[in-house]
Amino acid sequence: MSTEGSDTERKTVMTYVPAYQKERWKEHADQLGMSQSEFLRTMVQAGRRNFEIPDLPSGEEEETAQSANSQNSEESAQQGEEFRERVRAALSDSEYRSWDELLAALTNDIEDRLDTTLQDLQASNEVQYSGRHGGYTLAGSSERPDE
């Protein structure tokens, strides 16, 4: 089985979104000088960072992990309640909302936040965009091999 970084074979992924959402993504990709495909890959990878599941602890790390898990559970419960409140607020605006409408209402600021953050990181020379490599990288990462 190949590792995530070494498998370069490309596969097609299809999804259906409302026309307004596709147009918004296209405009944002154009602003960033990216193709729509690269824009979506970047957005998906950025979103996945918040959903990664850490490796299970072993041996001596278990006690520390249990303590951290307890704290994380409390934080997770608080975040869960905050998210539930956002869902309630989005639903209170209208009698019915489709899945796509709810998703748009709950994620409408992520594009703006990412754009602002990337601009800030580029301005402070912490991040660079490479058209040649089709993505962003940490500044000073030039020793990475060409793909």
Side-chain angles (χ1 to χ4, degrees), residues 21-87:
Q21 184 69 64
K22 183 180 186 314
E23 183 58 32
R24 188 168 181 204
W25 288 348
K26 182 183 180 313
E27 289 171 3
H28 201 170
D30 290 345
Q31 289 173 356
L32 295 172
M34 300 169 80
S35 71
Q36 290 178 59
S37 293
E38 183 60 30
F39 176 78
L40 289 174
R41 280 192 300 274
T42 302
M43 294 302 113
V44 169
Q45 288 303 105
R48 285 187 64 221
R49 288 193 183 107
N50 292 327
F51 297 105
E52 296 284 331
I53 299 172
D55 292 336
L56 293 174
S58 62
E60 300 168 4
E61 300 170 336
E62 192 167 337
E63 188 174 311
T64 304
Q66 286 174 348
S67 173
N69 283 342
S70 175
Q71 183 177 359
N72 289 342
S73 293
E74 292 171 19
E75 291 172 5
S76 189
Q78 180 181 359
Q79 290 174 347
E81 184 53 41
E82 289 170 3
F83 190 73
R84 283 188 289 277
E85 186 53 41
R86 289 178 62 197
V87 171

Coordinates of all heavy atoms in Angstrom, one line a residue, residues 21-87:
Q21 N -22.6 28.8 -5.5 CA -21.4 28.4 -4.8 C -20.2 28.1 -5.7 O -19.1 28.6 -5.5 CB -21.7 27.1 -4.0 CG -20.5 26.7 -3.1 CD -20.2 27.6 -2.0 OE1 -21.1 27.7 -1.1 NE2 -19.1 28.3 -1.9
K22 N -20.5 27.5 -6.8 CA -19.4 27.2 -7.8 C -18.9 28.6 -8.3 O -17.6 28.7 -8.5 CB -19.9 26.4 -9.0 CG -18.8 26.1 -10.0 CD -19.4 25.3 -11.2 CE -18.3 24.8 -12.1 NZ -17.3 25.7 -12.6
E23 N -19.7 29.5 -8.6 CA -19.3 30.8 -9.1 C -18.4 31.5 -8.0 O -17.4 32.1 -8.3 CB -20.5 31.7 -9.5 CG -20.1 33.0 -10.1 CD -19.2 32.9 -11.3 OE1 -19.4 32.0 -12.1 OE2 -18.4 33.8 -11.5
R24 N -18.8 31.4 -6.8 CA -18.1 32.0 -5.7 C -16.7 31.4 -5.6 O -15.7 32.1 -5.4 CB -18.8 31.9 -4.4 CG -18.2 32.7 -3.2 CD -19.2 32.7 -2.1 NE -18.6 33.4 -1.0 CZ -18.9 33.3 0.3 NH1 -19.9 32.5 0.6 NH2 -18.3 34.0 1.2
W25 N -16.6 30.1 -5.7 CA -15.3 29.4 -5.6 C -14.5 29.8 -6.8 O -13.3 30.0 -6.7 CB -15.5 27.9 -5.6 CG -16.1 27.3 -4.4 CD1 -16.2 27.9 -3.1 CD2 -16.6 26.0 -4.2 NE1 -16.8 27.1 -2.2 CE2 -17.0 25.9 -2.8 CE3 -16.8 24.9 -5.0 CZ2 -17.5 24.7 -2.3 CZ3 -17.3 23.7 -4.5 CH2 -17.7 23.7 -3.1
K26 N -15.1 29.9 -8.0 CA -14.3 30.3 -9.2 C -13.7 31.7 -9.0 O -12.6 31.9 -9.3 CB -15.2 30.2 -10.4 CG -14.5 30.6 -11.7 CD -15.5 30.6 -12.9 CE -14.8 30.9 -14.2 NZ -13.9 32.0 -14.2
E27 N -14.5 32.6 -8.6 CA -14.1 34.0 -8.3 C -12.9 34.0 -7.4 O -11.9 34.7 -7.6 CB -15.2 34.9 -7.8 CG -16.2 35.2 -8.9 CD -17.5 35.9 -8.3 OE1 -17.5 36.2 -7.1 OE2 -18.4 36.1 -9.1
H28 N -13.0 33.2 -6.3 CA -12.0 33.2 -5.3 C -10.7 32.6 -5.8 O -9.6 33.1 -5.6 CB -12.5 32.5 -4.0 CG -11.7 32.9 -2.8 ND1 -12.0 32.5 -1.5 CD2 -10.5 33.5 -2.6 CE1 -11.1 32.9 -0.7 NE2 -10.2 33.6 -1.3
A29 N -10.9 31.5 -6.6 CA -9.7 30.8 -7.2 C -9.0 31.8 -8.1 O -7.8 31.9 -8.1 CB -10.2 29.6 -7.9
D30 N -9.8 32.5 -8.9 CA -9.2 33.5 -9.8 C -8.4 34.6 -9.1 O -7.3 35.0 -9.5 CB -10.3 34.2 -10.7 CG -10.9 33.2 -11.7 OD1 -10.3 32.2 -12.0 OD2 -12.0 33.6 -12.3
Q31 N -9.0 35.1 -7.9 CA -8.3 36.1 -7.1 C -7.0 35.6 -6.6 O -6.0 36.3 -6.5 CB -9.2 36.5 -5.9 CG -10.4 37.3 -6.3 CD -11.3 37.5 -5.1 OE1 -11.1 37.0 -4.0 NE2 -12.4 38.3 -5.3
L32 N -6.9 34.3 -6.3 CA -5.7 33.7 -5.8 C -4.8 33.2 -6.9 O -3.7 32.7 -6.6 CB -6.0 32.5 -4.8 CG -6.8 32.9 -3.6 CD1 -7.3 31.6 -2.8 CD2 -5.9 33.8 -2.7
G33 N -5.2 33.3 -8.1 CA -4.4 32.9 -9.2 C -4.2 31.3 -9.3 O -3.2 30.8 -9.7
M34 N -5.3 30.7 -8.9 CA -5.3 29.2 -8.8 C -6.4 28.7 -9.8 O -7.4 29.3 -10.0 CB -5.6 28.8 -7.4 CG -4.7 29.2 -6.3 SD -5.3 28.9 -4.6 CE -4.9 27.2 -4.5
S35 N -6.2 27.4 -10.2 CA -7.2 26.7 -10.9 C -8.3 26.4 -9.9 O -8.1 26.3 -8.7 CB -6.7 25.5 -11.6 OG -6.4 24.5 -10.6
Q36 N -9.5 26.1 -10.5 CA -10.6 25.7 -9.6 C -10.2 24.4 -8.9 O -10.5 24.2 -7.7 CB -11.9 25.5 -10.3 CG -12.4 26.9 -10.8 CD -13.7 26.7 -11.6 OE1 -14.7 26.1 -11.1 NE2 -13.7 27.2 -12.9
S37 N -9.6 23.5 -9.6 CA -9.2 22.2 -9.0 C -8.2 22.4 -7.8 O -8.4 21.8 -6.7 CB -8.6 21.3 -10.0 OG -9.5 20.9 -11.0
E38 N -7.2 23.2 -8.0 CA -6.2 23.5 -7.0 C -6.9 24.2 -5.8 O -6.6 23.9 -4.7 CB -5.0 24.3 -7.5 CG -4.0 24.5 -6.5 CD -3.3 23.3 -6.0 OE1 -3.3 22.3 -6.7 OE2 -2.9 23.2 -4.8
F39 N -7.7 25.1 -6.1 CA -8.4 25.8 -5.0 C -9.2 24.8 -4.2 O -9.1 24.9 -2.9 CB -9.4 26.9 -5.7 CG -10.2 27.6 -4.7 CD1 -9.7 28.6 -3.9 CD2 -11.6 27.3 -4.5 CE1 -10.5 29.3 -3.0 CE2 -12.3 27.9 -3.6 CZ -11.8 28.9 -2.8
L40 N -10.0 23.9 -4.8 CA -10.8 23.0 -4.0 C -9.9 22.0 -3.2 O -10.2 21.7 -2.1 CB -11.7 22.2 -4.9 CG -12.9 23.1 -5.4 CD1 -13.7 22.3 -6.4 CD2 -13.8 23.5 -4.3
R41 N -8.8 21.5 -3.9 CA -7.9 20.6 -3.1 C -7.3 21.4 -1.9 O -7.2 20.8 -0.8 CB -6.7 20.2 -4.0 CG -7.0 19.1 -5.0 CD -5.8 18.5 -5.6 NE -5.1 19.4 -6.4 CZ -5.3 19.7 -7.7 NH1 -6.3 19.1 -8.3 NH2 -4.5 20.6 -8.3
T42 N -6.9 22.6 -2.1 CA -6.4 23.4 -1.0 C -7.4 23.6 0.1 O -7.1 23.4 1.3 CB -5.9 24.8 -1.5 OG1 -4.9 24.6 -2.5 CG2 -5.3 25.6 -0.4
M43 N -8.6 23.9 -0.2 CA -9.7 24.1 0.8 C -10.0 22.8 1.5 O -10.2 22.8 2.7 CB -11.0 24.7 0.1 CG -10.9 26.0 -0.5 SD -10.4 27.3 0.7 CE -8.8 27.7 0.1
V44 N -10.1 21.7 0.8 CA -10.4 20.5 1.5 C -9.3 20.1 2.4 O -9.5 19.7 3.6 CB -10.6 19.3 0.4 CG1 -10.6 18.0 1.1 CG2 -11.9 19.6 -0.4
Q45 N -8.0 20.2 2.0 CA -6.9 19.9 2.9 C -6.9 20.8 4.1 O -6.6 20.3 5.2 CB -5.6 20.0 2.1 CG -5.4 18.8 1.1 CD -5.5 17.5 1.8 OE1 -6.5 16.8 1.6 NE2 -4.5 17.1 2.5
A46 N -7.1 22.1 3.9 CA -7.2 23.0 5.0 C -8.2 22.6 6.0 O -8.0 22.6 7.2 CB -7.4 24.4 4.5
G47 N -9.4 22.2 5.5 CA -10.5 21.8 6.4 C -10.2 20.5 7.1 O -10.6 20.4 8.2
R48 N -9.5 19.6 6.4 CA -9.2 18.3 7.0 C -8.3 18.4 8.2 O -8.3 17.6 9.1 CB -8.6 17.4 6.0 CG -9.6 16.8 5.0 CD -8.9 15.8 4.1 NE -8.5 14.7 4.9 CZ -7.4 14.0 4.7 NH1 -6.5 14.4 3.8 NH2 -7.1 12.9 5.4
R49 N -7.5 19.4 8.3 CA -6.6 19.6 9.4 C -7.3 19.6 10.7 O -6.7 19.2 11.7 CB -5.7 20.9 9.2 CG -4.7 20.7 8.1 CD -3.7 21.8 8.2 NE -2.8 21.7 7.0 CZ -2.8 22.4 6.0 NH1 -3.6 23.4 5.9 NH2 -2.0 22.2 5.0
N50 N -8.5 20.1 10.7 CA -9.3 20.2 12.0 C -10.0 18.8 12.3 O -10.6 18.7 13.3 CB -10.3 21.3 11.9 CG -9.7 22.6 11.9 OD1 -8.7 22.8 12.5 ND2 -10.3 23.6 11.2
F51 N -9.9 17.9 11.4 CA -10.6 16.6 11.6 C -9.7 15.4 11.6 O -10.1 14.3 11.7 CB -11.6 16.4 10.4 CG -12.7 17.4 10.4 CD1 -12.7 18.4 9.5 CD2 -13.7 17.5 11.4 CE1 -13.6 19.4 9.5 CE2 -14.7 18.4 11.4 CZ -14.6 19.4 10.4
E52 N -8.4 15.6 11.6 CA -7.4 14.5 11.7 C -7.6 13.8 13.0 O -7.8 14.4 14.1 CB -6.0 15.0 11.6 CG -5.7 15.7 10.2 CD -5.5 14.7 9.1 OE1 -5.1 13.5 9.4 OE2 -5.8 15.0 8.0
I53 N -7.5 12.5 13.0 CA -7.6 11.7 14.2 C -6.1 11.3 14.6 O -5.4 10.7 13.8 CB -8.4 10.4 14.0 CG1 -9.8 10.8 13.6 CG2 -8.4 9.5 15.2 CD1 -10.7 9.7 13.1
P54 N -5.7 11.7 15.8 CA -4.3 11.4 16.2 C -4.1 9.9 16.4 O -5.1 9.1 16.7 CB -4.1 12.1 17.5 CG -5.5 12.3 18.0 CD -6.4 12.4 16.8
D55 N -2.9 9.4 16.3 CA -2.6 8.0 16.6 C -2.9 7.7 18.0 O -2.9 8.5 18.9 CB -1.1 7.7 16.4 CG -0.7 7.9 14.9 OD1 -1.6 7.7 14.1 OD2 0.5 8.1 14.7
L56 N -3.3 6.4 18.3 CA -3.6 6.0 19.6 C -2.3 5.9 20.5 O -1.3 5.5 20.0 CB -4.3 4.6 19.6 CG -5.6 4.6 19.0 CD1 -6.1 3.1 18.9 CD2 -6.6 5.4 19.7
P57 N -2.4 6.4 21.7 CA -1.2 6.4 22.6 C -0.9 5.0 23.0 O -1.7 4.1 23.0 CB -1.6 7.3 23.7 CG -3.1 7.1 23.8 CD -3.6 7.0 22.4
S58 N 0.4 4.8 23.4 CA 0.8 3.5 24.0 C 1.7 3.7 25.2 O 2.3 4.8 25.3 CB 1.5 2.7 22.9 OG 2.7 3.4 22.5
G59 N 1.8 2.8 26.1 CA 2.7 2.8 27.2 C 2.6 4.0 28.1 O 1.5 4.3 28.6
E60 N 3.7 4.7 28.3 CA 3.8 5.8 29.3 C 2.9 6.9 28.9 O 2.5 7.7 29.7 CB 5.3 6.2 29.4 CG 6.2 5.2 29.8 CD 7.7 5.6 29.6 OE1 7.9 6.7 29.2 OE2 8.5 4.8 29.9
E61 N 2.7 7.1 27.6 CA 1.9 8.2 27.1 C 0.4 8.1 27.5 O -0.3 9.1 27.4 CB 2.0 8.3 25.6 CG 3.4 8.5 25.1 CD 3.5 8.4 23.6 OE1 2.6 7.7 23.0 OE2 4.4 8.9 23.0
E62 N 0.0 6.9 27.9 CA -1.5 6.7 28.1 C -2.1 7.6 29.2 O -3.1 8.2 29.0 CB -1.7 5.2 28.4 CG -3.2 4.9 28.4 CD -3.4 3.4 28.4 OE1 -2.5 2.6 28.0 OE2 -4.5 3.0 28.8
E63 N -1.4 7.7 30.3 CA -1.9 8.5 31.4 C -2.0 10.0 31.0 O -3.0 10.6 31.3 CB -1.0 8.3 32.7 CG -1.6 9.0 33.9 CD -0.7 8.7 35.1 OE1 -0.4 7.5 35.4 OE2 -0.4 9.7 35.8
T64 N -0.9 10.5 30.4 CA -0.9 11.9 29.9 C -2.0 12.1 28.9 O -2.7 13.1 28.9 CB 0.4 12.2 29.3 OG1 1.5 12.0 30.2 CG2 0.5 13.7 28.8
A65 N -2.2 11.1 28.0 CA -3.2 11.2 27.0 C -4.6 11.2 27.6 O -5.5 11.9 27.2 CB -3.1 10.1 26.0
Q66 N -4.8 10.4 28.7 CA -6.1 10.4 29.3 C -6.5 11.7 30.0 O -7.6 12.2 29.9 CB -6.2 9.3 30.4 CG -6.3 7.9 29.8 CD -6.2 6.8 30.9 OE1 -5.8 7.0 32.0 NE2 -6.5 5.6 30.5
S67 N -5.5 12.4 30.6 CA -5.7 13.7 31.1 C -6.0 14.7 30.0 O -6.9 15.5 30.2 CB -4.4 14.1 31.9 OG -4.5 15.5 32.3
A68 N -5.2 14.6 29.0 CA -5.5 15.5 27.8 C -6.8 15.3 27.2 O -7.6 16.2 26.8 CB -4.4 15.4 26.8
N69 N -7.2 14.0 27.1 CA -8.5 13.6 26.6 C -9.7 14.2 27.4 O -10.7 14.6 26.9 CB -8.7 12.1 26.4 CG -7.9 11.5 25.3 OD1 -7.5 12.3 24.4 ND2 -7.7 10.2 25.3
S70 N -9.5 14.2 28.7 CA -10.5 14.8 29.6 C -10.7 16.3 29.3 O -11.8 16.7 29.2 CB -10.1 14.6 31.0 OG -11.0 15.2 31.9
Q71 N -9.6 17.0 29.2 CA -9.6 18.4 28.9 C -10.2 18.6 27.5 O -11.0 19.5 27.2 CB -8.2 19.0 29.0 CG -8.2 20.5 28.7 CD -6.9 21.1 28.9 OE1 -5.9 20.4 29.2 NE2 -6.8 22.4 28.7
N72 N -9.8 17.8 26.5 CA -10.3 17.9 25.2 C -11.7 17.6 25.1 O -12.5 18.2 24.3 CB -9.5 16.9 24.2 CG -8.1 17.4 23.9 OD1 -7.7 18.5 24.2 ND2 -7.3 16.5 23.5
S73 N -12.2 16.7 25.9 CA -13.7 16.3 25.9 C -14.5 17.5 26.4 O -15.5 17.8 25.8 CB -13.9 15.2 26.8 OG -13.4 14.0 26.3
E74 N -14.0 18.3 27.4 CA -14.7 19.4 27.9 C -14.7 20.5 26.8 O -15.7 21.1 26.5 CB -14.0 20.0 29.1 CG -14.2 19.1 30.3 CD -13.3 19.5 31.5 OE1 -12.9 20.7 31.5 OE2 -13.1 18.7 32.4
E75 N -13.5 20.7 26.1 CA -13.4 21.7 25.0 C -14.3 21.3 23.9 O -15.0 22.1 23.3 CB -12.0 21.9 24.6 CG -11.1 22.6 25.6 CD -9.6 22.5 25.2 OE1 -9.3 22.1 24.0 OE2 -8.8 23.0 26.0
S76 N -14.3 20.0 23.6 CA -15.1 19.5 22.5 C -16.6 19.7 22.8 O -17.4 20.1 21.9 CB -14.8 18.0 22.2 OG -15.4 17.6 21.1
A77 N -17.0 19.5 24.0 CA -18.4 19.6 24.4 C -18.8 21.1 24.2 O -19.9 21.4 23.7 CB -18.7 19.2 25.8
Q78 N -17.9 22.0 24.6 CA -18.2 23.4 24.5 C -18.3 23.8 23.0 O -19.2 24.5 22.6 CB -17.1 24.3 25.2 CG -17.4 25.8 25.1 CD -16.3 26.6 25.8 OE1 -15.3 26.0 26.4 NE2 -16.4 27.9 25.8
Q79 N -17.4 23.3 22.2 CA -17.4 23.6 20.8 C -18.7 23.1 20.2 O -19.3 23.7 19.3 CB -16.2 23.1 20.1 CG -14.9 23.9 20.5 CD -13.7 23.2 19.9 OE1 -13.7 22.1 19.4 NE2 -12.6 24.0 19.9
G80 N -19.0 21.9 20.6 CA -20.2 21.2 20.1 C -21.5 22.1 20.4 O -22.3 22.2 19.5
E81 N -21.6 22.6 21.6 CA -22.7 23.4 22.0 C -22.7 24.7 21.2 O -23.7 25.2 20.7 CB -22.7 23.7 23.5 CG -23.9 24.5 23.9 CD -25.3 23.9 23.5 OE1 -25.4 22.7 23.5 OE2 -26.2 24.7 23.1
E82 N -21.5 25.3 21.0 CA -21.4 26.5 20.2 C -21.9 26.3 18.7 O -22.6 27.1 18.2 CB -20.0 27.1 20.2 CG -19.6 27.6 21.5 CD -18.1 28.0 21.6 OE1 -17.4 27.8 20.6 OE2 -17.6 28.4 22.7
F83 N -21.5 25.1 18.2 CA -21.9 24.8 16.9 C -23.4 24.5 16.8 O -24.1 25.0 15.9 CB -21.1 23.6 16.3 CG -21.3 23.3 14.9 CD1 -20.7 24.2 13.9 CD2 -22.1 22.3 14.4 CE1 -20.9 24.0 12.6 CE2 -22.3 22.1 13.1 CZ -21.7 22.9 12.1
R84 N -23.9 23.9 17.8 CA -25.4 23.6 17.8 C -26.1 25.0 17.8 O -27.2 25.2 17.2 CB -25.8 22.8 19.0 CG -25.5 21.3 18.8 CD -26.1 20.4 19.9 NE -25.4 20.6 21.2 CZ -24.3 20.0 21.5 NH1 -23.7 19.1 20.7 NH2 -23.7 20.2 22.7
E85 N -25.6 25.9 18.6 CA -26.2 27.3 18.6 C -26.1 28.0 17.3 O -27.1 28.6 16.8 CB -25.5 28.1 19.7 CG -26.2 29.5 19.9 CD -27.7 29.4 20.2 OE1 -28.1 28.5 21.0 OE2 -28.5 30.2 19.7
R86 N -25.0 27.8 16.5 CA -24.9 28.3 15.2 C -25.9 27.7 14.3 O -26.5 28.4 13.4 CB -23.5 28.1 14.6 CG -22.5 29.0 15.3 CD -21.1 28.8 14.8 NE -21.0 29.1 13.4 CZ -20.0 28.7 12.6 NH1 -19.0 28.0 13.1 NH2 -20.0 29.1 11.3
V87 N -26.2 26.4 14.4 CA -27.2 25.7 13.6 C -28.6 26.3 13.9 O -29.3 26.6 13.0 CB -27.1 24.2 13.8 CG1 -28.3 23.5 13.1 CG2 -25.8 23.6 13.2

